[in-house]
Amino acid sequence: MVSLSIKSIKALILIGAFLQIGLYTQAQTPGTGTWNVLTGRYNIDKRWHVFVELQLRSQQTYHHFNYHEVKGGIGYNFLPTLTGLIGTGRYVTYPVDQDFGKPVLQTEQRVWQQVIYNQKIHSIRIEHRLRAEQRYTSAGYRNRFRYRLNVIVPINKKQIGDNTLFMSASNEFHFNNDGVFYEQNRLYWGLGYQLNKSWSVQSGWMYRSDYFKNNRSQYKNFIQASIQYTLNSKKSSAPRVVGSVD
């Protein structure tokens, strides 16, 4: 794969921010939502791993919860820098002005395939994630394609290890082959702490943009918080993985 320069990486992360800031005042959703993630990962050996993840989102700060998902999958490390994964999950969306109010707006069963390529420039880790999703929703079948660029920088150490404070910044682009081509953008910045080989926590800010037909759009701020627990088998020598919001 082609390596990107630091300037190119900054440009890709910021391009979504510039697009969103230019439209910020048009359809900003009031209030700050929350985006909560709990991830468990089991490294079977140096090649194989499985994971399960729970998410809970709200439209206001820990109020008006309107979305939850449960998903899991199995991954394979082709190289130390290249990982593939197949996953599936169930996703449920409720009205935005209540806590899990009725009626349910949409249910979805999703299958996806993804590839993650990791680069290192000195102590900086750069993650490129490509994902293809097949979405079986209550409103019909849809495809979606996603690219995320994530940069992780250790702050108090040269490498991510025990008791490491780190910064994470990412921008993710969502595309659709039917209807609105550029469907969503997720811009994120946060701080995390790697306690040990098993536990990692992270919190930050996400700005999500959604684009719909008839030139409609919606923009929303979220407080993101995540906890990741990793369990290693005796056969595992897998590299330490820092969790990122999905």
Side-chain angles (χ1 to χ4, degrees):
M1 292 190 179
V2 178
S3 296
L4 298 178
S5 67
I6 292 293
K7 289 183 178 180
S8 298
I9 292 162
K10 290 179 179 179
L12 282 170
I13 290 178
L14 292 175
I15 188 172
F18 290 138
L19 288 171
Q20 294 169 83
I21 290 171
L23 299 169
Y24 183 86
T25 59
Q26 294 186 13
Q28 177 69 17
T29 303
T32 299
T34 59
W35 194 302
N36 310 280
V37 186
L38 180 62
T39 304
R41 175 183 170 119
Y42 177 60
N43 292 321
I44 301 170
D45 55 33
K46 68 178 182 180
R47 294 287 187 181
W48 292 97
H49 71 272
V50 293
F51 86 98
V52 63
E53 184 171 286
L54 310 176
Q55 287 198 26
L56 186 63
R57 303 177 195 170
S58 69
Q59 290 295 308
Q60 304 297 322
T61 305
Y62 293 101
H63 186 45
H64 289 174
F65 285 93
N66 76 311
Y67 176 91
H68 62 74
E69 66 180 57
V70 180
K71 61 178 182 281
I74 183 167
Y76 183 79
N77 299 320
F78 297 100
L79 298 168
T81 58
L82 184 65
T83 300
L85 185 142
I86 297 175
T88 186
R90 178 173 172 80
Y91 309 74
V92 184
T93 304
Y94 300 84
V96 299
D97 57 350
Q98 313 173 48
D99 288 317
F100 304 120
K102 301 294 183 181
V104 172
L105 296 183
Q106 181 170 286
T107 59
E108 176 180 345
Q109 188 71 34
R110 187 182 306 172
V111 179
W112 77 90
Q113 307 80 39
Q114 76 179 30
V115 175
I116 294 177
Y117 172 63
N118 285 295
Q119 293 176 252
K120 288 206 70 177
I121 301 177
H122 305 294
S123 62
I124 301 172
R125 196 188 91 188
I126 303 158
E127 176 195 86
H128 306 266
R129 190 182 76 178
L130 296 169
R131 177 182 290 184
E133 298 176 334
Q134 299 83 52
R135 308 176 64 189
Y136 302 88
T137 79
S138 54
Y141 176 79
R142 301 175 61 199
N143 290 308
R144 187 165 66 180
F145 308 94
R146 299 163 57 169
Y147 168 69
R148 185 181 74 187
L149 177 66
N150 187 33
V151 178
I152 297 171
V153 183
I155 295 175
N156 62 329
K157 295 187 178 183
K158 292 183 178 180
Q159 303 292 334
I160 299 291
D162 292 352
N163 302 310
T164 303
L165 181 68
F166 61 88
M167 183 197 76
S168 178
S170 67
N171 199 24
E172 184 172 37
F173 305 87
H174 295 213
F175 303 99
N176 197 331
N177 65 334
D178 184 25
V180 179
F181 175 67
Y182 183 31
E183 183 182 72
Q184 188 180 118
N185 185 273
R186 297 178 182 178
L187 182 67
Y188 172 79
W189 181 88
L191 291 173
Y193 192 77
Q194 183 78 33
L195 286 80
N196 49 45
K197 290 183 178 180
S198 296
W199 291 98
S200 176
V201 296
Q202 192 172 163
S203 185
W205 164 83
M206 175 180 285
Y207 187 58
R208 192 180 81 178
S209 304
D210 293 279
Y211 306 102
F212 309 99
K213 294 180 181 179
N214 302 321
N215 295 318
R216 292 193 305 112
S217 53
Q218 179 175 291
Y219 308 93
K220 183 73 178 178
N221 288 291
F222 290 90
I223 299 169
Q224 184 270 328
S226 67
I227 300 174
Q228 178 174 296
Y229 176 73
T230 301
L231 180 64
N232 295 287
S233 72
K234 293 181 180 180
K235 297 180 180 179
S236 175
S237 59
R240 193 183 298 257
V241 176
V242 175
S244 299
V245 65
D246 186 35

